[in-house]
Amino acid sequence: MRRDQEPSGGGIHPLLVGRFSPYRFDPSAVVDDASLRLLLEAARWAPSAGNSQPWGFFVSRPGEPDHERVVRHLAPSSARWAVDAGLLVVTLTRRHVDGTEVLYSEFADYDLGQAIAHMTLQAEALGLASHQFRAFDMEGLTKELDPNPGWAVVSMVALGKAAGEPPEGRDRRSVEELLSGPWAPSA
Ligand SMILES: Cc1cc2nc3c(=O)[nH]c(=O)nc-3n(C[C@H](O)[C@H](O)[C@H](O)COP(=O)(O)O)c2cc1C
Protein backbone atom coordinates (compact mmCIF):
# COMPACT_ATOMS: atom_id res chain seq x y z
CA MET A 1 0.00 0.00 0.00
CA ARG A 2 1.35 3.43 -0.86
CA ARG A 3 0.97 5.58 2.26
CA ASP A 4 1.95 8.98 1.01
CA GLN A 5 -0.35 9.86 -1.85
CA GLU A 6 -2.53 12.93 -1.76
CA PRO A 7 -5.87 12.69 -3.61
CA SER A 8 -5.03 15.84 -5.58
CA GLY A 9 -2.12 14.01 -7.25
CA GLY A 10 -4.29 11.95 -9.55
CA GLY A 11 -6.22 14.75 -11.21
CA ILE A 12 -9.62 13.58 -9.98
CA HIS A 13 -12.51 16.00 -9.64
CA PRO A 14 -12.09 18.77 -7.00
CA LEU A 15 -15.25 17.61 -5.21
CA LEU A 16 -13.61 14.21 -4.70
CA VAL A 17 -10.26 15.72 -3.75
CA GLY A 18 -11.84 17.97 -1.14
CA ARG A 19 -13.97 15.35 0.57
CA PHE A 20 -12.84 13.93 3.89
CA SER A 21 -14.57 12.68 7.01
CA PRO A 22 -14.01 15.32 9.70
CA TYR A 23 -13.69 14.57 13.40
CA ARG A 24 -14.84 18.08 14.26
CA PHE A 25 -17.86 20.06 13.08
CA ASP A 26 -18.63 23.73 13.62
CA PRO A 27 -21.59 23.67 16.07
CA SER A 28 -22.68 27.15 14.97
CA ALA A 29 -23.17 26.17 11.31
CA VAL A 30 -26.73 25.22 10.43
CA VAL A 31 -27.88 23.09 7.51
CA ASP A 32 -30.85 25.03 6.18
CA ASP A 33 -34.00 23.61 4.61
CA ALA A 34 -32.84 24.33 1.06
CA SER A 35 -29.56 22.47 1.59
CA LEU A 36 -31.32 19.55 3.23
CA ARG A 37 -33.67 19.34 0.26
CA LEU A 38 -30.75 19.30 -2.19
CA LEU A 39 -28.98 16.55 -0.26
CA LEU A 40 -32.08 14.39 -0.46
CA GLU A 41 -32.61 15.24 -4.14
CA ALA A 42 -29.06 14.10 -4.87
CA ALA A 43 -29.69 10.79 -3.11
CA ARG A 44 -32.99 10.40 -4.96
CA TRP A 45 -31.25 10.47 -8.35
CA ALA A 46 -28.80 7.68 -7.59
CA PRO A 47 -28.99 4.56 -9.77
CA SER A 48 -30.35 1.35 -8.24
CA ALA A 49 -30.96 -2.23 -9.30
CA GLY A 50 -34.15 -2.30 -11.34
CA ASN A 51 -34.74 1.29 -10.21
CA SER A 52 -35.87 -0.22 -6.91
CA GLN A 53 -34.66 2.79 -4.88
CA PRO A 54 -34.41 0.73 -1.70
CA TRP A 55 -33.43 3.61 0.56
CA GLY A 56 -34.95 5.75 3.25
CA PHE A 57 -33.61 8.43 5.57
CA PHE A 58 -34.42 9.72 9.03
CA VAL A 59 -33.09 13.25 9.27
CA SER A 60 -32.73 15.55 12.24
CA ARG A 61 -30.94 18.77 13.10
CA PRO A 62 -29.83 20.17 16.46
CA GLY A 63 -32.76 21.70 18.29
CA GLU A 64 -35.34 19.48 16.60
CA PRO A 65 -37.10 16.90 18.83
CA ASP A 66 -35.98 14.02 16.58
CA HIS A 67 -32.33 14.99 17.06
CA GLU A 68 -32.36 13.91 20.69
CA ARG A 69 -34.03 10.62 19.70
CA VAL A 70 -30.98 9.84 17.56
CA VAL A 71 -28.24 11.41 19.67
CA ARG A 72 -29.07 9.26 22.67
CA HIS A 73 -28.04 6.17 20.67
CA LEU A 74 -24.63 7.44 19.55
CA ALA A 75 -21.58 5.54 20.78
CA PRO A 76 -19.19 7.59 22.92
CA SER A 77 -16.70 7.69 20.02
CA SER A 78 -19.13 9.29 17.54
CA ALA A 79 -20.91 11.43 20.14
CA ARG A 80 -17.68 13.43 20.48
CA TRP A 81 -18.15 15.00 17.03
CA ALA A 82 -21.52 13.97 15.55
CA VAL A 83 -23.59 16.05 17.98
CA ASP A 84 -21.98 19.22 16.59
CA ALA A 85 -22.92 18.43 12.99
CA GLY A 86 -25.73 20.52 11.51
CA LEU A 87 -27.54 17.41 10.27
CA LEU A 88 -27.72 13.75 11.24
CA VAL A 89 -29.00 11.27 8.68
CA VAL A 90 -29.91 7.71 9.64
CA THR A 91 -29.79 5.54 6.53
CA LEU A 92 -32.20 2.67 5.98
CA THR A 93 -32.50 0.08 3.27
CA ARG A 94 -35.17 -2.35 2.23
CA ARG A 95 -33.42 -5.71 2.35
CA HIS A 96 -36.30 -8.15 2.69
CA VAL A 97 -39.76 -8.75 1.37
CA ASP A 98 -42.18 -7.77 4.15
CA GLY A 99 -42.42 -10.31 6.96
CA THR A 100 -40.07 -12.86 5.32
CA GLU A 101 -36.37 -13.60 5.08
CA VAL A 102 -36.62 -13.45 1.28
CA LEU A 103 -34.20 -10.89 -0.12
CA TYR A 104 -35.98 -7.93 -1.67
CA SER A 105 -32.83 -7.27 -3.64
CA GLU A 106 -29.32 -8.58 -3.19
CA PHE A 107 -28.24 -5.06 -4.15
CA ALA A 108 -30.16 -3.16 -1.49
CA ASP A 109 -27.11 -2.16 0.57
CA TYR A 110 -25.10 -1.48 -2.59
CA ASP A 111 -27.81 0.84 -3.86
CA LEU A 112 -28.07 2.66 -0.54
CA GLY A 113 -24.31 3.21 -0.62
CA GLN A 114 -24.59 4.86 -4.02
CA ALA A 115 -27.37 7.14 -2.79
CA ILE A 116 -25.14 8.18 0.10
CA ALA A 117 -22.22 8.78 -2.27
CA HIS A 118 -24.48 11.12 -4.22
CA MET A 119 -25.51 12.85 -1.01
CA THR A 120 -21.95 13.32 0.21
CA LEU A 121 -20.77 14.81 -3.09
CA GLN A 122 -23.77 17.14 -3.20
CA ALA A 123 -22.76 18.13 0.33
CA GLU A 124 -19.25 18.98 -0.90
CA ALA A 125 -20.78 21.12 -3.65
CA LEU A 126 -22.71 22.99 -0.95
CA GLY A 127 -19.59 23.50 1.16
CA LEU A 128 -20.67 20.85 3.65
CA ALA A 129 -18.57 17.97 4.92
CA SER A 130 -19.87 14.53 5.82
CA HIS A 131 -18.78 11.72 8.07
CA GLN A 132 -20.46 8.34 7.65
CA PHE A 133 -20.39 6.07 10.67
CA ARG A 134 -21.53 2.87 12.30
CA ALA A 135 -20.60 3.84 15.86
CA PHE A 136 -24.09 3.83 17.38
CA ASP A 137 -26.37 1.39 19.18
CA MET A 138 -27.97 -0.36 16.21
CA GLU A 139 -30.51 -2.26 18.28
CA GLY A 140 -31.50 0.77 20.33
CA LEU A 141 -31.84 3.04 17.31
CA THR A 142 -33.81 0.42 15.39
CA LYS A 143 -36.22 0.11 18.31
CA GLU A 144 -36.45 3.88 18.51
CA LEU A 145 -37.32 4.36 14.82
CA ASP A 146 -39.33 1.13 14.52
CA PRO A 147 -38.98 0.82 10.72
CA ASN A 148 -41.56 -1.12 8.76
CA PRO A 149 -40.99 -4.86 8.12
CA GLY A 150 -38.30 -5.47 5.50
CA TRP A 151 -36.47 -2.25 6.33
CA ALA A 152 -33.18 -2.07 8.23
CA VAL A 153 -31.10 0.73 9.70
CA VAL A 154 -27.65 0.54 8.07
CA SER A 155 -25.52 3.54 9.01
CA MET A 156 -25.51 7.18 9.94
CA VAL A 157 -24.09 10.30 8.28
CA ALA A 158 -23.15 13.49 10.10
CA LEU A 159 -23.14 16.52 7.80
CA GLY A 160 -22.15 20.10 8.46
CA LYS A 161 -19.31 22.55 8.29
CA ALA A 162 -15.98 20.88 8.99
CA ALA A 163 -13.84 22.45 11.70
CA GLY A 164 -10.16 21.72 11.27
CA GLU A 165 -8.03 19.90 8.76
CA PRO A 166 -8.39 16.37 7.33
CA PRO A 167 -7.29 13.75 9.88
CA GLU A 168 -4.08 11.75 9.47
CA GLY A 169 -4.12 8.22 8.15
CA ARG A 170 -6.28 8.55 5.06
CA ASP A 171 -4.08 6.08 3.20
CA ARG A 172 -5.35 4.42 0.05
CA ARG A 173 -4.28 1.35 -1.84
CA SER A 174 -2.68 2.16 -5.18
CA VAL A 175 -4.56 1.95 -8.48
CA GLU A 176 -2.25 -0.89 -9.48
CA GLU A 177 -3.26 -2.84 -6.39
CA LEU A 178 -6.94 -2.38 -7.21
CA LEU A 179 -6.33 -4.07 -10.52
CA SER A 180 -4.12 -6.96 -9.48
CA GLY A 181 -4.08 -6.88 -5.68
CA PRO A 182 -5.50 -9.25 -3.06
CA TRP A 183 -8.54 -10.27 -5.09
CA ALA A 184 -6.63 -11.51 -8.12
CA PRO A 185 -5.64 -15.19 -8.49
CA SER A 186 -1.90 -15.68 -8.77
CA ALA A 187 -0.73 -15.99 -12.34
C1 LIG B 1 -20.02 2.37 6.18
C2 LIG B 1 -19.04 3.24 6.92
C3 LIG B 1 -18.92 3.15 8.29
C4 LIG B 1 -18.04 3.98 8.99
N1 LIG B 1 -18.00 3.92 10.36
C5 LIG B 1 -17.24 4.81 11.03
C6 LIG B 1 -17.31 4.86 12.45
O1 LIG B 1 -18.03 4.10 13.10
N2 LIG B 1 -16.52 5.77 13.09
C7 LIG B 1 -15.71 6.64 12.41
O2 LIG B 1 -15.04 7.45 13.03
N3 LIG B 1 -15.67 6.65 11.05
C8 LIG B 1 -16.41 5.76 10.35
N4 LIG B 1 -16.39 5.74 8.97
C9 LIG B 1 -15.53 6.71 8.25
C10 LIG B 1 -14.28 6.02 7.71
O3 LIG B 1 -13.41 5.69 8.78
C11 LIG B 1 -13.60 6.92 6.68
O4 LIG B 1 -14.45 7.12 5.59
C12 LIG B 1 -12.27 6.31 6.21
O5 LIG B 1 -11.32 6.26 7.25
C13 LIG B 1 -11.66 7.09 5.04
O6 LIG B 1 -11.47 8.44 5.42
P1 LIG B 1 -12.08 9.63 4.55
O7 LIG B 1 -13.59 9.46 4.54
O8 LIG B 1 -11.67 10.89 5.26
O9 LIG B 1 -11.53 9.51 3.18
C14 LIG B 1 -17.23 4.91 8.27
C15 LIG B 1 -17.37 5.01 6.88
C16 LIG B 1 -18.25 4.19 6.20
C17 LIG B 1 -18.39 4.34 4.70
Side-chain angles (χ1 to χ4, degrees):
M1 190 189 300
R2 296 221 314 266
R3 301 201 171 273
D4 56 350
Q5 25 4 2
E6 290 296 322
S8 50
I12 57 174
H13 195 278
L15 288 180
L16 298 168
V17 173
R19 190 208 60 79
F20 69 95
S21 302
Y23 281 101
R24 279 177 57 211
F25 286 94
D26 176 353
S28 69
V30 297
V31 175
D32 61 20
D33 290 347
S35 298
L36 174 55
R37 183 84 201 177
L38 284 172
L39 295 169
L40 295 169
E41 275 292 334
R44 190 163 85 92
W45 285 101
S48 60
N51 201 20
S52 53
Q53 306 167 57
W55 44 63
F57 308 106
F58 184 84
V59 300
S60 65
R61 294 173 287 190
E64 296 175 351
D66 283 339
H67 195 250
E68 181 45 39
R69 290 180 64 200
V70 172
V71 162
R72 70 169 78 112
H73 299 289
L74 296 178
S77 62
S78 59
R80 278 198 288 275
W81 41 269
V83 290
D84 287 337
L87 173 67
L88 286 177
V89 177
V90 179
T91 81
L92 298 103
T93 195
R94 187 181 179 197
R95 284 194 190 127
H96 294 107
V97 176
D98 295 358
T100 75
E101 285 304 304
V102 175
L103 273 183
Y104 170 72
S105 165
E106 63 183 310
F107 295 112
D109 288 50
Y110 181 104
D111 292 340
L112 172 64
Q114 294 211 70
I116 295 301
H118 273 216
M119 183 185 285
T120 57
L121 288 181
Q122 181 65 49
E124 289 295 319
L126 293 166
L128 298 171
S130 59
H131 193 146
Q132 302 178 49
F133 63 101
R134 166 60 185 89
F136 59 87
D137 174 4
M138 177 70 79
E139 199 184 331
L141 185 58
T142 300
K143 275 193 188 134
E144 180 82 44
L145 302 184
D146 193 22
N148 278 328
W151 288 85
V153 173
V154 176
S155 65
M156 287 183 60
V157 194
L159 298 112
K161 194 162 183 303
E165 296 300 307
E168 297 292 313
R170 300 182 62 243
D171 309 330
R172 293 299 198 268
R173 290 190 282 135
S174 68
V175 166
E176 292 71 28
E177 201 180 339
L178 305 186
L179 297 173
S180 58
W183 71 269
S186 337

